[in-house]
Amino acid sequence: MARLIRLLVLLLPLSGFAQSVELKLRVVDLDGDAPLAFVSVQLSPGRVAGQTDERGRLTLTAEPGVYTLRASYTGYAPFEQKLQLRDDLEATLRLEASSEQLETIVVTDRADRLALSRPAMGVEQLSARELENVPTVLGERDVLKSLQLLAGVSSAGEASNGVSVRGGTIDQNLLLYDGAPVFTPTHLFGLFTVFTPDAVAGIDLYRGNIPARFGGRIASVLDVRSKTPGSEPTEIRGGIGLISSNLAIETPLDKRRRLGLLVSARGAYNDALFPVIDRLKNTRSRFADATVKLRYRAGERDFFTLSGFYSQDVYQVDLISQVGGVPAVANQYAYLTLNGGLEWLHFFTDDLALNVSAHRANYDPELRFVQEDGGRVNFLSGIDYSIGRATLGYTTGQHQLGGGIQYDRYRLNPGRLDPGGVSGITPLELEQEIGVEAAAYVENEWKISDRLGLSAGLRYVRYQQLGPGELRTYRPDEELRAGTLLDVTPFGQGEEIVTYSGLEPRLGLNFRVTSTTSFKASYARSRQYLQNIYNATTPVPTSRWKVSDPNVGPQTGDLYSLGLTHRTANEKYIFQLETYYRQITDLLEYKPGADFFLNPTVETDLLRGEGRGYGVELTARRSSGRITGELNYTYARIENRVAGDGPTTRINRGAWYPGYFDQPHTFTSNLILNEGRTHELGLNLIVQSNRPYTVPNGFVTVRGVPVPLFLERNNDRLPIYHRLDFSWTIHNIKKQQRRWTGDWVFTVYNLYGRDNAYNVFYQPRDANTPALGIFSGSPFAAYRLSIFGAPVVSLSYKFTFLP
Amino acid sequence: MLYARCLALIVFTLLCTGCIEPTEPVFRLEQPFYLVEGELTDQSGQSQLTVRQSNFSDVQLTLDPISDATVLAEEEGAGTRVQWQADPDVPGTYRAPADFAVQPGERWFVNVRFPDGTEAISAAELLPAASRIDDFRVAFEQEGRFVTAQRRFVPVFRLLLDFTDPEGTEDYYEWNYRYWEQEVVCASCDRGVYREGECIPVERFTTNNERYDYLCESSEDGCFRQRGGNQLDLSTDQAFAGGAVQDRPIGEIDFTDFGGILIEAIQYGLTAEAYAYGKVAADIVRGSSGLNATLPAALNGNVRNLDPDGPEVLGNVRVASRTTRRLFFVRDATFGEPPPRDRTIRLEPSNPPFTPPQAPCSGNGRTPIKPDGWPD
């Protein structure tokens, strides 16, 4: 039962006889008056809702009337009170800390808030609470896997180093963690996300109308934020498991809770167990990640945040093809991410704020060639990425204005071969690549009337490739290859090699047809100057990144979207329909046999083409009652075309062909049955068309070895993918406020053990190939590779200890 | 107020990662094509060509040999022409005269005329320089390679090469190997008997064994069987340019039986174009099974139909330098143990005056000629 909370109300008629009234709230801790950030607040009926900002402040706009005001926040007793709004109002809510985590009131501030009233489209927000309800793999809460339950988001398979948004490739998504980019978001080649689970506060996924403050990728922006420490009492969480162990500490460092610290870490040393299993004797796997955040509230108007993120992996898996060129008995992969950031948030007034930040991201992947005698040849590459950003935000009655400047500088090390003392190997180093992006943007979200809203943004980006480097000039209108190279011009440190620039408009429109139905339209243009190049079904962490240069220009994406959103009168259901069309120019593709390992002239292995994507996304959501959940259906296509002049510069004879993430039909459902007291059951179902793959058109022999003959690309499709996940949570069975309360969580990933195909490949038959009837008289054996072919069960116990 | 929450006791069952299951190989067939593939080398007797035609019949795709084509090798700019002869023992294979060997500085191409009048030529290539092999040896590993089909590790002999890369040039390599073992049994018949060169099924079988083995007709040296590496192992010299390379693995031979074995390491010097062609093929074959499988790619060889509107002609004919080194040793228990298998020789019973026949030491790589390097 909710406790009585003191509500201090300041009756300040801030406006006249306006059609809507504003409720300005400030939410603080009852004990100490510390502002509480990210508190979920809701007015009902009407489902007007929001979250408090860093200073615990929130402004809600509603029509005059009688409402129930609800607020909920982890670690605090929920608040509920009737309220009559006649005029604009200021109020302070004081919440009392509570050891009970009551589930009776769920404040949904997610897409419902955005769905009807704002022009934003294609935006999904998931809080840490919602992430906890998603069944996971091997007991881990997984950010990327939870996103795959949303319309328009899929993966390349269970071992995929990222996600595909609306058919885009993995590197077309900008993935930020506390403002710094992350280049490899998974551990163990796609099985786990790198973000330390207990540190994640929420995720914003922009896949439609990407705000003008973001740029550099053409498919989506995934903005992941860690928790903000200091405003909550000290909390320690931990876990011990067969795969990984984790520990998180979130605590204020002073009595007034001005300074807060978050430290969360996870480590896995799986390969200690692998030698027990014959098949895994040559498999190595270790990973670790950690998040650190220090937040200081200098006063009522200034907040400083220092953040850091660390992630490291080492693995050796037979299922990853060996890299040629350097002989080795095994290839090992190791990669390190080390990010940091410093941010200053200053409120000039309640409506005018400045945010200045600096971030640094270091990504260092390594490929180790293990020799017969245990020696090691190392291939090192890396990205050093620096960002400086200043953003000004101003809110008036009808406008939310924003503007800012951003400067990105990235230095790529495409590869350095270190012999490591192994004889016969020559040290090699490719020339570094440096790119800078200077951007300025303005954006305005304008509430023209109660029915009509408009968002307009404009981003201008000026990109430069800087020396040291080379400008290689080829014969015009001819294939880029060694034979058409005309000239090589060197550039010194800091000299401009090439410049690309352009405007990127972002437009959105929201029209409320009725109080429960709204229509939206949006357009966004984006450019991508940094891209991942890999001639494979999915990139490995050591896959090469490439800056735009005179021969490899940026990719450009234009996205058009339309949408319809409807909320039922009883506020239980929300329905969304979105349709989109995306055009990509200067799409990157690869020549047959493209190999970027130690290749100083990668442009000779790249092709430029065009892409088009289109789709319809349907969502039905129920957010209250015993059964809550979401159903999504997506029909989406992505097609590429590379129409060169010769057989080496065109693909599929210059016709349109399915893109690598072309999955026409996807159905997902996420259902939660909560009986209200103790038990909560969850089911996730995914049914989708699988990826395209290539069936050979025949075979030839090379040196006596039968080799599949591929005259086309992506001419067939893998069998349909479907999977059912189950979770069962038993909450605090005695439902008493005790020093010790516990939850049991039982999850099953892939409940009925569907053997989903990841790839189909052909290999010449030899003496070791079994004489199976399925191969008949073919010179090839064909195999289907799947990742999880059996249910994965996990059982965990969570308890709360109150000393 | 201190909160402590602990996560404990995670239990896992049945984690199946990376399952590989056989599936039916299917093809999306295009128009029929001719396939011309081969090489001209600087070693006498080692230049050969295969000429075949694709055939889709009985739901199978095959490459049928063409034995009545006309094959000419021509030196570009010199006018020298050499006619190659069809090998009567290997249909579809054409060989240069025994004394034919490409010399340094020469550029050669081939012209193939098919029975239907189709004429194809290859692009001329310059003979690359040969690189010296400094040493060749083997290293044994009892658990050398995991064989998915057998779900076990198998013992292997790793073949290791030392060589010196020339300085100042961009070099392209391919490695292969072949090996000889002595054969005792040259024919085996399952639930049948060997007569007149073939297995005749017999309904009545007097023993529980399902197989009869027939000894090889052999010279006093015995019968030898040659097998090839059948691999695509290529590299540039980027990582070791101009240096001495040691312990370069060039292949593996499974340890299947005891006894002597003669292994020949073969090192080719290739042109850049031949390397590119072979590299694409190698990536398709070797790199297709991983989680990061190479994207399928078209093989754009250097053979083309002189009539662009005529039948499709695919393939690659290269000019390559060839360096070899041989090594003989006896496989015995000091190395380790081969995987268990049935090594019993089951001869058809003699019933005087009937004695079971012997099978000729020929076909399938068999030869009664002792290979060079096999000790007396």
Side-chain angles (χ1 to χ4, degrees), chain B residues 261-293:
Chain B
I261 185 170
L262 176 70
I263 308 173
E264 179 183 72
I266 309 169
Q267 178 171 278
Y268 293 98
L270 309 177
T271 62
E273 291 78 16
Y275 168 79
Y277 180 81
K279 176 74 166 45
V280 172
D283 286 345
I284 291 171
V285 168
R286 271 207 323 255
S288 64
S289 61
L291 297 176
N292 57 327

Side-chain angles (χ1 to χ4, degrees), chain A residues 392-565:
Chain A
L392 203 62
Y394 177 62
T395 305
T396 71
Q398 290 174 304
H399 294 269
Q400 288 186 32
L401 295 162
I405 53 176
Q406 180 173 328
Y407 183 79
D408 292 25
R409 180 186 171 94
Y410 32 90
R411 186 181 65 201
L412 272 60
N413 170 19
R416 179 170 69 86
L417 191 68
D418 175 11
V422 174
S423 66
I425 302 296
T426 305
L428 280 172
E429 185 164 2
L430 297 178
E431 190 137 50
Q432 292 188 344
E433 299 178 14
I434 299 175
V436 298
E437 291 180 38
Y441 74 91
V442 291
E443 56 187 2
N444 180 23
E445 195 171 312
W446 178 19
K447 190 174 178 185
I448 300 172
S449 69
D450 283 345
R451 283 179 177 268
L452 187 62
L454 181 71
S455 76
L458 189 63
R459 184 179 180 89
Y460 174 76
V461 180
R462 181 181 169 84
Y463 164 85
Q464 291 180 309
Q465 184 194 10
L466 302 179
E470 290 180 344
L471 167 56
R472 287 180 290 276
T473 307
Y474 296 83
R475 276 203 292 269
D477 301 323
E478 288 198 36
E479 178 188 351
L480 302 187
R481 54 184 177 84
T484 59
L485 180 64
L486 291 176
D487 187 36
V488 179
T489 308
F491 287 81
Q493 181 76 33
E495 288 187 289
E496 175 191 323
I497 301 175
V498 71
T499 298
Y500 296 105
S501 64
L503 293 170
E504 297 176 12
R506 315 281 170 87
L507 299 170
L509 177 82
N510 178 62
F511 178 69
R512 291 189 73 158
V513 181
T514 68
S515 61
T516 56
T517 304
S518 67
F519 167 80
K520 299 190 181 190
S522 71
Y523 166 75
R525 163 167 284 198
S526 304
R527 288 189 182 82
Q528 184 162 343
Y529 301 96
L530 180 64
Q531 30 233 350
N532 199 200
I533 52 177
Y534 52 94
N535 186 20
T537 51
T538 190
V540 291
T542 49
S543 295
R544 188 165 166 175
W545 287 82
K546 179 83 186 70
V547 304
S548 294
D549 66 20
N551 296 307
V552 181
Q555 299 183 72
T556 304
D558 291 281
L559 177 66
Y560 307 84
S561 310
L562 295 173
L564 204 61
T565 303

Side-chain angles (χ1 to χ4, degrees), chain B residues 32-299:
Chain B
F33 57 89
Y34 289 116
L35 178 65
V36 178
E37 195 252 348
E39 65 185 11
L40 291 78
T41 79
D42 57 353
Q43 283 188 346
S44 302
Q46 298 297 328
S47 300
Q48 68 172 40
L49 203 77
T50 57
V51 180
R52 286 172 291 180
Q53 183 176 22
S54 68
N55 181 20
F56 177 59
S57 63
D58 297 330
V59 202
Q60 282 303 328
L61 173 67
T62 59
L63 291 173
D64 297 338
I66 297 176
S67 299
D68 48 355
T70 304
V71 176
L72 281 173
E74 183 172 335
E75 182 183 354
E76 188 181 64
T80 307
R81 287 183 169 189
V82 178
Q83 178 132 15
W84 293 22
Q85 302 301 320
D87 186 333
D89 295 327
V90 186
T93 298
Y94 297 78
R95 301 189 190 279
D99 60 350
F100 176 84
V102 180
Q103 301 303 313
E106 294 179 348
R107 292 174 64 92
W108 285 80
F109 64 93
V110 296
N111 180 301
V112 180
R113 185 181 291 273
F114 296 88
D116 66 354
T118 302
E119 189 174 350
I121 64 168
S122 67
E125 291 195 343
L126 177 69
L127 179 72
S131 299
R132 185 182 76 238
I133 293 177
D134 297 323
D135 193 17
F136 173 44
R137 57 189 171 281
V138 298
F140 176 74
E141 196 167 330
Q142 183 64 42
E143 293 188 333
R145 185 181 77 253
F146 188 85
V147 178
T148 306
Q150 299 179 24
R151 301 179 192 274
R152 56 168 293 168
F153 283 95
V154 296
V156 299
F157 293 97
R158 291 196 205 281
L159 312 183
L160 304 174
L161 206 65
D162 295 351
F163 65 97
T164 302
D165 179 66
E167 284 189 42
T169 54
E170 283 188 13
D171 304 294
Y172 304 89
Y173 293 93
E174 181 183 321
W175 292 277
N176 214 327
Y177 61 93
R178 56 180 179 169
Y179 61 98
W180 294 262
E181 299 168 293
Q182 276 195 305
E183 288 264 290
V184 174
V185 171
C186 283
S188 293
C189 295
D190 287 321
R191 302 194 72 80
V193 295
Y194 184 75
R195 302 286 187 269
E196 305 294 327
E198 61 181 332
C199 288
I200 310 295
V202 266
E203 289 187 4
R204 81 176 158 74
F205 236 69
T206 58
T207 69
N208 290 330
N209 299 323
E210 294 193 346
R211 187 186 86 240
Y212 282 146
D213 299 318
Y214 297 84
L215 302 178
C216 301
E217 294 173 357
S218 59
S219 64
E220 64 179 71
D221 290 328
C223 181
F224 300 86
R225 186 172 180 184
Q226 175 198 313
R227 293 182 176 88
N230 283 348
Q231 63 176 21
L232 295 167
D233 183 6
L234 301 95
S235 176
T236 70
D237 67 348
Q238 192 176 28
F240 47 78
V245 180
Q246 293 179 330
D247 289 338
R248 208 281 178 190
I250 65 165
E252 294 174 347
I253 298 175
D254 291 355
F255 182 20
T256 55
D257 215 339
F258 297 105
I261 185 170
L262 176 70
I263 308 173
E264 179 183 72
I266 309 169
Q267 178 171 278
Y268 293 98
L270 309 177
T271 62
E273 291 78 16
Y275 168 79
Y277 180 81
K279 176 74 166 45
V280 172
D283 286 345
I284 291 171
V285 168
R286 271 207 323 255
S288 64
S289 61
L291 297 176
N292 57 327
T294 308
L295 293 177
L299 283 168

Side-chain angles (χ1 to χ4, degrees), chain A residues 426 598 701 715 776 787 795, chain B residues 4 9 16 28 52 60 238-239:
Chain A
T426 305
L598 287 176
T701 59
N715 58 3
S776 126
I787 308 302
L795 176 65
Chain B
L9 192 61
C16 173
R28 184 153 297 173
R52 286 172 291 180
Q60 282 303 328
Q238 192 176 28

Side-chain angles (χ1 to χ4, degrees), chain A residues 13 28 46 166 203 214 218 242 244 272 283 352 366 375 404 456 479 514 540 568 606 634 660 671 686 761 781:
Chain A
V28 298
R166 289 182 168 172
I203 310 163
F214 295 113
I218 61 174
L242 287 177
S244 67
T283 302
L352 181 64
E366 192 177 323
E479 178 188 351
T514 68
V540 291
T568 57
L606 293 172
T634 303
Y660 302 101
L671 299 176
I686 299 175
F761 59 94

